[in-house]
Amino acid sequence: MMNKTMNKTQYQKIFKRAVVEQMRADLRSGKLLKTYFQEAYPVADKDLLPSTILIQGKPPAIKAPKKDPVAADLENAIALHEFYKSIDETQASDSRLWAYLSHVEFRKYSLARWGLPGEYADLKTNDAKQRAINQLLEHWFVSGNDRDLRRHAIARLWWAAHLTYAPWERDPEFFADAKNKDPYFFTRILFLTQDIYQQVLERSMGRSDRILISVLEYLGANKKFAESRENIRNLMKELNLVYGTKKIIMLSRPALKALIEKVAKEATQ
Amino acid sequence: MKVNSKSYPHPVLGNEDDLGGFFRVAPFHYELKKDEITLNPIFNLKNSTIEELIRDGKASFVTEVECRSTFFRTSYSTKKNIDRFTIPSKLVRERVAVGFYICADKDIPSYRPSECHPDYEGASFDIEAGDVLAVGGYTSFIAEKNFDPLRPPVSSFMSIMEGSQHEGPMQIDYENEKITIVLSKADWRGYLDVRGQKLAEGMLHSSIVFPVLIDAIHQVQNGNGDYADMSWFGRLEAILDANSLRNKEPFEAAQRILAAPLSRGLQSIGSLLGANDEQDYE
């Protein structure tokens, strides 16, 4: 028999804005630093709000294997995206949601993947404390821009899956020939290596799903090329330069594909 | 509307004095609705060669829309001088940047634009699909119905909170969605006593908000890249643009945004002293 609580529909909790601001300020001052070595984060009900995000059942158990935490990124991204499929882009850029998910809901994962090594007592100097604070601010909070979303412990996974999920559903005419049985076909390419994730999403061109998916399609079809960090970096750098004088975002699918192939070839020469 | 000069491999209308004529988008209206945002650009073009390319289906007016908060970037092409595009509201948040161009739809070999700068006299260029032929400038808006850049409440881009120090000077944190002013515990207690009281607003604006706003306007006007992605930065840009304060001294711009904080502060003091005098007589 199905457990009733497993499929219960409820609203995702989030922090109140003032609470997130206070948490950031307290972390900056060093007051909260010690708590990032603790498995539980004390949360008062008065600090939380129900969001308009509907969720069903229990959140997925995302993993960070000690030996190779990066290896689970793809699996985690798909699990999170499946669970939070109803989130829209505006909700998914809300700092209150991501701060709650990293500090409370997925704290264990966040500590394992993006936590601080050792113990609080190891942070002996002010410099060491400051470095630790900067690292935590980068991976546990977002401030309303996509650079932070790319680096946040949980947001980075959800957005990676969201931006690459079945592009033929969002833009059927343009991606008609890219249809695949696997809706996460392009997500798998994005997570083939850390370099692909970083180089492709770090560039502002990654905001255009037409360019992002076309680049991933090229990398997926040219795995040898995609194995080299330098190749990917040169490709993205060159495309960025081209974008300065040519609006490649408006190109037809064949023209965009041809351009990426041409630039990639030049990038290896 | 802002235009940044660039070095193109061919002459571009609107880029310095490459070509004679003009390409302007005026007026540019946008409408924020619950489910969608409508963009209504009106393209004004004067350059015979480029006008002909659009008529012949070889070039288009391109509106590029980008939102750094939601990984959103798309473009809309049209051949009409007046057109209308819609964006689902859920796709954007906070600052939305819009750029206007005329781009080639297909390869144009031996392109010889009219009214060329003498440096390009007699030259021809092989244009490829997507190449920019004209730049009409860039603008931005805040995708929030309740945000009015002409009457912005201070709380829309700034917040004040309690710090961990017991005493000491206030501090500013620019790395939040809003500019955060952090007060010592002692000052925070004093602030809580007067917060929300009409009489105190002028004093608070002139003593706390005003100096911070001057510094923040400096950051925006200098284009500080460290903060350019923060929500407050986009909002302050929109406020400066909407009130034609982009090129004013920060000292003056801050006073205009806060509607004469000094006068209001002095009035507050006057009213408080008056109230005390009356009490003395009682």
Side-chain angles (χ1 to χ4, degrees):
Chain A
M1 197 176 121
M2 199 178 285
N3 183 341
K4 274 187 185 171
T5 56
M6 289 292 281
N7 280 322
K8 200 175 144 195
T9 301
Q10 52 196 317
Y11 290 104
Q12 174 64 49
K13 285 178 190 165
I14 57 174
F15 279 127
K16 287 182 180 169
R17 191 168 303 285
V19 172
V20 179
E21 284 175 6
Q22 193 66 58
M23 285 164 70
R24 281 184 70 117
D26 288 346
L27 175 58
R28 261 180 202 290
S29 71
K31 191 178 157 190
L32 269 190
L33 186 54
K34 214 172 184 174
T35 65
Y36 288 85
F37 290 89
Q38 295 164 1
E39 285 205 4
Y41 187 80
V43 189
D45 276 348
K46 66 174 177 53
D47 292 344
L48 302 177
L49 284 174
S51 67
T52 51
I53 301 164
L54 274 175
I55 50 169
Q56 200 165 35
K58 275 176 111 180
I62 54 174
K63 302 163 206 156
K66 265 190 188 155
K67 265 192 179 173
D68 185 6
V70 179
D73 278 358
L74 171 67
E75 195 187 326
N76 290 338
I78 294 175
L80 277 168
H81 189 249
E82 284 294 309
F83 185 72
Y84 291 113
K85 226 171 188 172
S86 70
I87 301 184
D88 68 32
E89 287 78 358
T90 311
Q91 292 167 325
S93 59
D94 192 321
S95 59
R96 299 169 300 175
L97 168 70
W98 298 116
Y100 179 79
L101 294 185
S102 54
H103 284 81
V104 183
E105 199 80 71
F106 300 105
R107 185 175 185 83
K108 203 174 160 192
Y109 167 82
S110 303
L111 282 171
R113 180 80 161 88
W114 302 101
L116 301 168
E119 295 171 11
Y120 179 69
D122 298 336
L123 301 173
K124 290 188 180 12
T125 64
N126 283 340
D127 272 358
K129 281 185 181 144
Q130 195 51 56
R131 275 197 301 274
I133 289 168
N134 291 344
Q135 187 192 319
L136 294 167
L137 286 169
E138 191 173 353
H139 297 297
W140 293 64
F141 292 91
V142 299
S143 315
N145 62 68
D146 53 17
R147 183 192 56 193
D148 287 359
L149 293 170
R150 280 191 295 263
R151 294 173 185 180
H152 183 271
I154 311 300
R156 64 185 287 277
L157 298 168
W158 186 91
W159 273 100
H162 180 72
L163 291 170
T164 49
Y165 178 84
W168 51 88
E169 287 180 9
R170 290 196 303 271
D171 197 348
E173 209 177 309
F174 193 83
F175 289 115
D177 65 337
K179 265 189 190 169
N180 195 289
K181 277 184 200 161
D182 176 9
Y184 291 105
F185 176 77
F186 290 103
T187 316
R188 294 180 203 285
I189 301 173
L190 183 66
F191 281 110
L192 269 180
T193 66
Q194 274 289 95
D195 291 332
I196 296 183
Y197 178 93
Q198 274 164 8
Q199 297 293 332
V200 178
L201 280 191
E202 282 285 323
R203 307 276 172 174
S204 62
M205 273 182 311
R207 293 185 190 121
S208 154
D209 50 5
R210 290 188 174 186
I211 300 175
L212 170 69
I213 297 298
S214 303
V215 167
L216 290 176
E217 189 174 36
Y218 179 82
L219 296 177
N222 296 274
K223 293 216 168 65
K224 194 142 179 88
F225 176 93
E227 278 169 13
S228 155
R229 181 186 192 181
E230 187 129 346
N231 280 349
I232 307 168
R233 197 174 54 205
N234 287 344
L235 169 65
M236 295 312 292
K237 213 168 116 187
E238 283 304 312
L239 281 176
N240 217 29
L241 277 176
V242 171
Y243 204 94
T245 59
K246 190 194 291 286
K247 292 288 148 194
I248 63 175
I249 196 171
M250 62 161 292
L251 292 180
S252 65
R253 182 143 157 83
L256 182 55
K257 277 169 96 165
L259 178 85
I260 291 169
E261 269 171 39
K262 184 181 154 215
V263 173
K265 265 189 197 140
E266 286 167 4
T268 52
Q269 281 164 10
Chain B
M1 212 165 278
K2 271 197 305 184
V3 179
N4 299 331
S5 303
K6 251 186 199 175
S7 177
Y8 290 90
H10 53 268
V12 168
L13 179 61
N15 186 52
E16 296 185 339
D17 54 359
D18 284 7
L19 294 179
F22 59 78
F23 173 46
R24 292 186 204 119
V25 180
F28 167 61
H29 289 302
Y30 62 92
E31 201 181 339
L32 304 174
K33 294 183 204 152
K34 187 170 174 277
D35 296 322
E36 63 181 31
I37 296 168
T38 313
L39 309 182
N40 299 300
I42 297 179
F43 302 107
N44 301 291
L45 169 65
K46 189 177 175 298
N47 181 281
S48 55
T49 312
I50 301 177
E51 285 174 66
E52 197 181 320
L53 289 174
I54 292 178
R55 267 199 308 273
D56 294 348
K58 293 179 180 168
S60 297
F61 297 109
V62 176
T63 302
E64 188 182 33
V65 184
E66 183 175 29
C67 176
R68 290 178 173 198
S69 299
T70 57
F71 287 97
F72 179 79
R73 189 174 202 167
T74 196
S75 69
Y76 304 92
S77 296
T78 181
K79 309 245 186 267
K80 297 182 206 162
N81 286 75
I82 301 175
D83 213 336
R84 176 189 158 93
F85 314 108
T86 55
I87 309 167
S89 301
K90 65 175 190 176
L91 294 182
V92 292
R93 177 194 183 102
E94 287 294 333
R95 184 173 180 265
V96 179
V98 188
F100 303 100
Y101 309 89
I102 296 171
C103 297
D105 286 331
K106 46 184 84 170
D107 293 354
I108 307 168
S110 306
Y111 170 60
R112 282 172 189 268
S114 54
E115 300 166 65
C116 254
H117 186 275
D119 287 356
Y120 295 113
E121 202 68 58
S124 67
F125 304 87
D126 289 335
I127 297 295
E128 293 177 355
D131 278 350
V132 174
L133 303 176
V135 186
Y138 318 93
T139 188
S140 66
F141 62 88
I142 301 296
E144 189 185 303
K145 271 184 89 173
N146 296 331
F147 176 72
D148 178 0
L150 289 169
R151 299 182 59 193
V154 170
S155 61
S156 66
F157 59 89
M158 202 179 270
S159 67
I160 301 175
M161 66 165 50
E162 182 183 14
S164 53
Q165 307 290 331
H166 287 280
E167 286 177 339
M170 64 179 182
Q171 291 172 333
I172 315 171
D173 181 0
Y174 285 122
E175 295 188 2
N176 271 331
E177 283 180 70
K178 292 181 185 181
I179 300 164
T180 307
I181 301 171
V182 184
L183 302 183
S184 68
K185 287 185 183 299
D187 286 343
W188 175 254
R189 279 194 297 276
Y191 170 70
L192 286 183
D193 286 344
V194 297
R195 183 174 68 173
Q197 294 185 34
K198 197 71 194 157
L199 265 183
E201 193 184 273
M203 277 301 295
L204 291 174
H205 275 186
S206 54
S207 60
I208 302 178
V209 177
F210 181 50
V212 175
L213 187 55
I214 292 173
D215 192 42
I217 292 171
H218 258 298
Q219 307 285 355
V220 171
Q221 289 183 340
N222 293 339
N224 190 329
D226 290 345
Y227 308 129
D229 287 341
M230 303 294 168
S231 304
W232 66 261
F233 195 98
R235 287 184 173 222
L236 206 43
E237 264 189 326
I239 293 166
L240 292 171
D241 287 342
N243 294 282
S244 305
L245 298 172
R246 172 73 78 157
N247 299 317
K248 297 279 180 205
E249 283 296 316
F251 189 66
E252 185 188 338
Q255 292 185 66
R256 296 265 294 273
I257 292 170
L258 294 175
L262 174 65
S263 308
R264 291 192 295 119
L266 289 171
Q267 277 170 21
S268 301
I269 296 171
S271 302
L272 286 169
L273 291 175
N276 282 342
D277 288 348
E278 280 166 25
Q279 278 170 3
D280 288 345
Y281 287 116
E282 277 172 4

